[in-house]
Amino acid sequence: MASDEILRIHLQELRRGTVVVASLVALRHPDYGYALLQRLTEHGFPVDANTLYPLLRRLEEQGLLTSEWNTEESRPRKFYRTSAEGESTLTRLLEDLAAVQTSMTALIQGVER
């Protein structure tokens, strides 16, 4: 049982940063919070609403997302979109993620650097 809890904690840590990257990728097309939550879950990035909404606010405050309210539907919804600065940051994050993956693969395969 203890090992299950340890694994859960490490998986949570591993996924924490990837949710930022996944959100910036997904929000290249505008979407509202709940739809993003569903989309991320469908693509293997399960995230709790209590984690996602503060993350969206933080990314917006950092200038990585823009938002606007859609009041045309019966219930107003805040739509988010990756900003130009968010795209630039995402490009760097994806490059780093690819480098980490390459390094991890080499380490696993025992390749000397």
Side-chain angles (χ1 to χ4, degrees):
M1 284 298 200
S3 63
D4 288 343
E5 179 62 16
I6 291 169
L7 179 60
R8 186 192 67 74
I9 289 168
H10 287 293
L11 286 173
Q12 182 179 21
E13 289 177 10
L14 182 63
R15 290 182 181 268
R16 189 170 287 137
T18 58
V19 169
V20 170
V21 174
S23 296
L24 290 172
V25 168
L27 290 172
R28 285 174 163 167
H29 305 286
D31 220 341
Y32 60 98
Y34 184 72
L36 175 62
L37 189 69
Q38 291 177 313
R39 219 159 113 209
L40 291 175
T41 299
E42 289 168 4
H43 284 88
F45 297 95
V47 60
D48 187 75
N50 292 328
T51 300
L52 182 64
Y53 288 107
L55 172 67
L56 291 174
R57 284 192 295 276
R58 189 179 87 230
L59 294 175
E60 185 177 17
E61 287 170 7
Q62 293 171 342
L64 304 180
L65 295 179
T66 59
S67 69
E68 62 182 59
W69 285 96
N70 179 346
T71 57
E72 295 173 7
E73 298 179 23
S74 60
R75 201 174 90 206
R77 293 180 176 171
K78 190 173 187 179
F79 278 75
Y80 295 91
R81 167 177 255 170
T82 303
S83 68
E85 187 174 343
E87 274 294 332
S88 176
T89 300
L90 177 59
T91 297
R92 297 285 307 276
L93 291 172
L94 289 172
E95 289 169 356
D96 193 65
L97 187 59
V100 167
Q101 184 176 0
T102 299
S103 296
M104 186 61 69
T105 300
L107 186 62
I108 290 168
Q109 294 174 348
V111 175
E112 293 295 323
R113 294 195 95 181

